[in-house]
Amino acid sequence: MREKIRTFSGIHMSPADPRPEEICIEDIAHALSLMTRANGHFPVFYSVAQHSLDCAAMAQAEGRSSREVLACLLHDASEAYLSDITRPVKGCLPEYRRIEQVLQEMIYEKYLIAPPTEREREIVKRMDDTCLYYEFEHFTGEKLFDVAPQAAVLPEYRECPMREVEKKFLALFEKLMAQTVQEDGVRTDQ
C-alpha cells in the first residue's frame, strides 16, 4: 500500500513511491514558500523558494540557458514533498537520499523532459553552493568555505511574504517553461 500525503492542491501522493501525475508545480511553489532554510536558524524567515529563486537568478546573471535556469529553480523541488533536511543530517540518511533522488529526477523529467546532463548538474550544484555560502555569510556572518565562490549577482536577502514568493516562483517557472520550449522545440504537456 502506498502511504500518501495530501498536498496543497488536494492531490494525494506518495513521496516514497511517486507518480508523475501527482507532481504539481503549484504544490511545489506553495510548500517551498512556507519552508524555511537552515532549519529555521536564520534570524528572519528565508524560504527554500527564495533560495531557489536566488539560484535561478544567479544562473540567469551568468547568461545560462532557460533550461539550466529552470533546473536551478527546481533543484530543491522534491523538498516540497519530503521536507528540507540539513546537509549534515541528510548525509546520515541513505534511504531518504534515495527517495529524494527518485522524486527529484521525476520532477526534472516532468518539467525538463530529460534529466539534467552532468554539465547542467554541475551548474546547479555550483549555484546551490554559492547561494548557501552567501546566505550563511549574510545571515550569520559565517563563511562556510575557505574561498568565497564567485557570484554574478547577490540576492537582497529580505524577508518576503510567502504569497509574494510563491507568485514569483510560479511566474518565473512559467516564463522559463515558455523560453525552454522556444529554445528546445516542442514539449509534451506538463
Side-chain angles (χ1 to χ4, degrees), residues 151-167:
V153 65
L154 289 178
E156 294 177 25
Y157 297 119
R158 67 180 182 89
E159 196 168 4
C160 296
M162 65 77 52
R163 295 253 186 251
E164 177 184 322
V165 174
E166 181 179 5
K167 286 179 184 177

Side-chain angles (χ1 to χ4, degrees), residues 15 18 75 78-79 82 90 93-109 115-116 118 121:
H75 80 280
S78 62
E79 293 176 6
L82 302 174
K90 193 182 287 190
L93 302 172
E95 183 62 11
Y96 174 91
R97 288 193 330 251
R98 185 197 66 74
I99 292 167
E100 179 184 46
Q101 183 178 6
V102 167
L103 183 54
Q104 186 63 45
E105 290 303 309
M106 187 175 289
I107 292 166
Y108 277 146
E109 287 178 22
E118 283 308 309
R121 289 178 195 280

Side-chain angles (χ1 to χ4, degrees), residues 108-132:
Y108 277 146
E109 287 178 22
K110 180 170 184 163
Y111 296 117
L112 296 176
I113 299 303
T117 65
E118 283 308 309
R119 185 178 80 65
E120 290 168 334
R121 289 178 195 280
E122 289 170 12
I123 290 166
V124 170
K125 175 81 168 118
R126 187 168 50 79
M127 295 299 117
D128 188 28
D129 285 347
T130 300
C131 283
L132 176 72

Side-chain angles (χ1 to χ4, degrees), residues 167-185:
K167 286 179 184 177
K168 284 182 180 178
F169 188 101
L170 289 170
L172 182 57
F173 172 82
E174 293 299 328
K175 177 183 173 186
L176 292 170
M177 287 294 290
Q179 290 172 344
T180 300
V181 168
Q182 285 182 323
E183 291 171 8
D184 295 344

Side-chain angles (χ1 to χ4, degrees), residues 75-90:
H75 80 280
D76 281 337
S78 62
E79 293 176 6
Y81 302 103
L82 302 174
S83 190
D84 185 17
I85 295 180
T86 59
R87 285 185 184 190
V89 175
K90 193 182 287 190

